[in-house]
Amino acid sequence: MHPTSAIIAITLNCNSRCTMCNIWQNHIKNELDPNEYLKLPSTLTDINITGGEPFLRRDIVEIVANMKKAAPRARLILNTNGFMPRKIKEDMEKIILIDPDFAFRVSIDGIGNVHDAIRGIPGGYERCMETLRAVKELGVKDIGISFTLMQQNIDELPKVQQLCRKNGYEFSLTVVTNSPIYFGEKKEDFRPKRNTKLDRVLQNAAVTHLRSYRPKEIIRGWFVKRLLSYVKTGKRVLPCYAGSGFFYMDSAGNVYTCHMKPWIMGNITKQSFDMIMSNQRFAPRVASCNDCWMVCTAKSSMRHHLFQVAREALQETIAAHI
């Protein structure tokens, strides 16, 4: 097996207090040494660096450098809560010297107090804005905002999309999801109610993307329409390729099929990646799994069904312009 995508949590500690995630309750020590990231497979073309809060790692610059050495063709994208603007700026100055194309995302779930209430950090929204400004001033070109949809912030979705359009930021959308090894259990209770309002908000969000002439935006529009379908039906529109096309690795080096299920394939400190990826005992369960529809886990599915996705996206783009 030759995976092309990976979701890698370089720490599972966090300085946030999010309502839809339990990671902040962790107190983990002795996380993976930076040199262990040199063992990542060279076949990777996408690495999603996440946490916890990645910038809590004092050695984050060394970790990024080793990821780039291990997988030189990989697009590196990092997700942060943005609550440490000074440290983030200092680290990003060094990171963009390692990888000038490094992609940077800040989680924002609403404007002002709405975001602060969801993330549990008073003044957090302003810190996020400061972080975005600082990184933009450094010359980072691929900057964006990640939005997690729930009942509490359904009215904020168009506002955050508008914020992205105004500032030239990329925009990605996901919905609250359960995970016994990551977010925690019973998080789907926070999901928006399945009604005409949800239909309208997500349809409008999709059309906003589909009316663009940028291929990346058009694909986002296609994805958002399928997110609406997933929230309403609980069914993925494409099969999952977790554990083969992509994998999740936690901050102790445990490699899982994904970050939704406790299906561990091996550990990078104890086994070669070839050996880890040869463990396909979970493949039948993956093939029938419907536990998420997220950009980070849908990428490999979309690649496997590229012509179908492209055809449908083109049809929906034409319809959005009529």
Side-chain angles (χ1 to χ4, degrees):
M1 295 294 176
H2 301 285
T4 56
S5 296
I7 306 160
I8 299 179
I10 62 173
T11 181
L12 285 175
N13 295 310
C14 192
N15 57 341
S16 188
R17 296 290 185 273
C18 302
T19 59
M20 69 295 195
C21 178
N22 293 342
I23 289 177
W24 61 270
Q25 298 175 12
N26 295 332
H27 300 283
I28 297 175
K29 297 181 180 179
N30 302 318
E31 295 185 296
L32 210 59
D33 184 88
N35 287 331
E36 298 291 349
Y37 293 96
L38 291 168
K39 300 177 182 178
L40 291 171
S42 61
T43 55
L44 292 175
T45 56
D46 284 285
I47 299 177
N48 187 326
I49 304 169
T50 187
E53 172 46 48
F55 287 99
L56 289 176
R57 290 287 301 245
R58 295 181 180 179
D59 50 7
I60 185 174
V61 175
E62 186 179 357
I63 290 172
V64 170
N66 287 348
M67 286 182 175
K68 197 63 180 175
K69 287 179 185 177
R73 295 184 297 117
R75 173 180 180 260
L76 304 182
I77 181 168
L78 180 144
N79 289 271
T80 174
N81 60 33
F83 292 156
M84 299 185 292
R86 183 177 299 179
K87 183 177 188 296
I88 291 171
K89 181 179 180 181
E90 291 174 357
D91 289 340
M92 285 299 297
E93 282 183 299
K94 300 169 186 174
I95 286 172
I96 59 176
L97 295 177
I98 298 166
D99 182 3
D101 297 322
F102 194 84
F104 184 85
R105 300 290 184 268
V106 175
S107 296
I108 295 180
D109 300 318
I111 304 300
N113 291 335
V114 176
H115 176 72
D116 294 355
I118 290 171
R119 295 282 165 169
I121 302 295
Y125 178 80
E126 289 305 321
R127 291 190 219 173
C128 291
M129 292 297 103
E130 183 181 347
T131 292
L132 286 165
R133 288 191 296 267
V135 171
K136 193 171 186 176
E137 288 171 3
L138 289 176
V140 178
K141 295 180 175 60
D142 193 343
I143 301 174
I145 288 174
S146 301
F147 184 94
T148 301
L149 181 66
M150 60 192 83
Q151 183 62 32
Q152 188 176 351
N153 67 352
I154 190 169
D155 293 324
E156 300 295 301
L157 175 54
K159 300 176 188 177
V160 177
Q161 267 194 308
Q162 176 59 29
L163 174 67
C164 289
R165 291 198 300 274
K166 179 180 177 181
N167 291 279
Y169 298 147
E170 304 290 341
F171 178 77
S172 63
L173 174 64
T174 190
V175 67
V176 180
T177 303
N178 292 337
S179 169
I181 63 167
Y182 199 67
F183 303 115
E185 300 279 21
K186 298 184 178 180
K187 298 305 176 182
E188 289 183 8
D189 294 346
F190 291 93
R191 282 188 178 176
K193 297 175 183 177
R194 296 190 294 270
N195 54 27
T196 55
K197 183 175 185 178
L198 174 66
D199 289 2
R200 183 179 69 253
V201 168
L202 283 182
Q203 289 283 7
N204 289 343
V207 168
T208 297
H209 292 300
L210 290 167
R211 284 180 175 165
S212 170
Y213 292 98
R214 294 174 58 211
K216 184 184 286 188
E217 283 291 288
I218 292 169
I219 294 300
R220 283 194 181 119
W222 178 92
F223 174 86
V224 172
K225 286 181 75 71
R226 275 71 194 169
L227 180 64
L228 173 59
S229 172
Y230 175 76
V231 173
K232 293 173 69 174
T233 67
K235 302 290 184 182
R236 295 171 58 98
V237 296
L238 296 177
C240 186
Y241 293 89
S244 56
F246 76 93
F247 61 87
Y248 162 65
M249 188 170 79
D250 71 13
S251 61
N254 295 309
V255 177
Y256 296 81
T257 56
C258 67
H259 57 315
M260 299 293 110
K261 309 296 289 186
W263 298 338
I264 188 167
M265 302 169 67
N267 186 289
I268 197 173
T269 67
K270 301 174 182 177
Q271 298 148 296
S272 70
F273 237 94
D274 284 344
M275 183 177 293
I276 292 171
M277 296 307 296
S278 69
N279 178 4
Q280 291 296 305
R281 69 181 185 275
F282 299 112
R285 296 193 211 178
V286 169
S288 60
C289 185
N290 284 290
D291 279 10
C292 79
W293 180 250
M294 308 173 77
V295 172
C296 53
T297 59
K299 279 182 180 178
S300 60
S301 299
M302 293 163 71
R303 285 173 177 159
H304 274 82
H305 300 270
L306 183 60
F307 291 112
Q308 175 187 338
V309 173
R311 182 183 69 251
E312 292 174 354
L314 178 60
Q315 292 170 345
E316 289 163 11
T317 297
I318 293 170
H321 282 278
I322 294 175

